[in-house]
Amino acid sequence: MSKRMIITVGDARVGKSTVIKLLLEMLAQQGKRIKVYNQESFPVFQAYEQLATIKKFNLSNDDADAITDDLNHPELDVMIVDMPGQDIEKIIQYIESASLFEVVVKFGWNLTFLQPISHREDCIYYLNEIIQNATNNANYVVVKNYHFAPEFREYEENIRKKLLIIGGTEVELMALHRHHYQAMEKTGKPYSQVCQDLSIILFWRSFIFQWIKKFRDSVMNNNLAIKYLGLD
């Protein structure tokens, strides 16, 4: 079983938090010991505090040092770091100043960049910057988020070939009606528990269940995604 450090990069409304929540439950079901670093000012992962250690951090101060310190933590299997895309230059500077690629290898971890993409061009810009700087020092999983777009032309034309050449892979997050999504978030429960929440009508719960299942199937039918996301 490999230890995995998973970094997500992107702005709001691309699906980072949603993907992390879905992944958290999959990891927890396997008994993985997980820690999540999050820069959001509101408790976006509060419902998952029984599944993982959640810690707020600021990339601009000494909190970032704790991330690399945790790579030497024997009680962790997976570390997820949620970073805002608008700080892409700071993120790259942090990776370089912390010698992250070397430190990850030193302590026996593997590094994965988990990148949800939507119709927004900045998603592709961030992904391209990450690939150019990390190259073969990391693995890559792109999540095509169909909630925001039916196609990903910019990605297909400019990035996909490069991603596959360096061993990256793709999974899919299907669209979920915004009313269903809002009702799910309003419960304040982990997503899988929402499927049993009687405050949400059965019809909606059925859609939510299928949405979760399709994401899990997309991941678990992809051997590279299983490995890169610490699910092996």
Side-chain angles (χ1 to χ4, degrees):
M1 180 182 68
S2 62
K3 290 177 174 284
R4 280 279 162 183
M5 180 180 188
I6 301 170
I7 298 178
T8 64
V9 179
D11 292 338
R13 295 192 60 76
V14 71
K16 286 190 307 163
S17 298
T18 299
V19 169
I20 291 173
K21 290 175 182 179
L22 288 164
L23 178 59
L24 272 175
E25 291 195 281
M26 296 176 71
L27 290 164
Q29 285 179 357
Q30 291 190 354
K32 300 296 174 69
R33 298 165 298 182
I34 316 157
K35 189 167 187 176
V36 179
Y37 280 92
N38 167 47
Q39 288 205 94
E40 297 285 353
S41 57
F42 54 94
V44 64
F45 298 114
Q46 187 173 9
Y48 294 81
E49 290 179 340
Q50 292 185 344
L51 304 182
T53 300
I54 313 295
K55 181 175 175 60
K56 188 176 182 298
F57 82 106
N58 189 326
L59 192 61
S60 301
N61 59 33
D62 292 340
D63 288 348
D65 294 336
I67 298 172
T68 48
D69 289 344
D70 274 340
L71 291 171
N72 196 27
H73 198 310
E75 300 299 321
L76 284 178
D77 300 313
V78 179
M79 189 190 318
I80 302 174
V81 185
D82 184 15
M83 294 189 173
Q86 66 268 22
D87 288 339
I88 187 66
E89 292 183 2
K90 289 182 180 179
I91 293 169
I92 292 171
Q93 289 172 3
Y94 162 70
I95 290 172
E96 293 176 350
S97 64
S99 300
L100 187 62
F101 301 136
E102 293 81 3
V103 173
V104 164
V105 172
K106 176 182 177 181
F107 291 113
W109 288 65
N110 294 281
L111 176 62
T112 297
F113 285 98
L114 175 61
Q115 185 73 16
I117 60 172
S118 68
H119 61 289
R120 295 173 55 172
E121 292 185 4
D122 52 8
C123 301
I124 309 307
Y125 170 73
Y126 300 144
L127 179 58
N128 189 54
E129 288 292 302
I130 290 166
I131 291 174
Q132 285 187 342
N133 283 272
T135 60
N136 292 325
N137 291 300
N139 302 126
Y140 306 87
V141 178
V142 166
V143 182
K144 293 181 174 180
N145 189 349
Y146 288 91
H147 180 75
F148 296 108
E151 60 182 15
F152 305 89
R153 187 175 304 170
E154 183 81 11
Y155 165 75
E156 300 284 351
E157 292 177 354
N158 299 313
I159 301 292
R160 187 174 189 270
K161 184 177 180 180
K162 183 189 299 186
L163 177 86
L164 298 180
I165 287 174
I166 60 175
T169 192
E170 305 165 342
V171 296
E172 295 182 334
L173 179 62
M174 305 313 295
L176 183 67
H177 193 284
R178 64 185 181 88
H179 292 323
H180 302 170
Y181 183 82
Q182 290 168 354
M184 181 174 66
E185 289 286 335
K186 189 177 180 180
T187 67
K189 297 179 179 179
Y191 290 162
S192 61
Q193 293 183 20
V194 174
C195 299
Q196 287 81 45
D197 192 317
L198 299 182
S199 69
I200 299 178
I201 61 174
L202 178 61
F203 184 66
W204 287 15
R205 280 185 279 141
S206 176
F207 275 102
I208 292 169
F209 175 83
Q210 290 299 323
W211 174 75
I212 295 171
K213 183 179 184 299
K214 287 177 181 177
F215 176 77
R216 292 185 177 185
D217 289 346
S218 181
V219 172
M220 299 309 293
N221 290 330
N222 182 327
N223 289 332
L224 284 179
I226 290 171
K227 178 181 178 181
Y228 294 168
L229 298 176
L231 292 161
D232 50 349

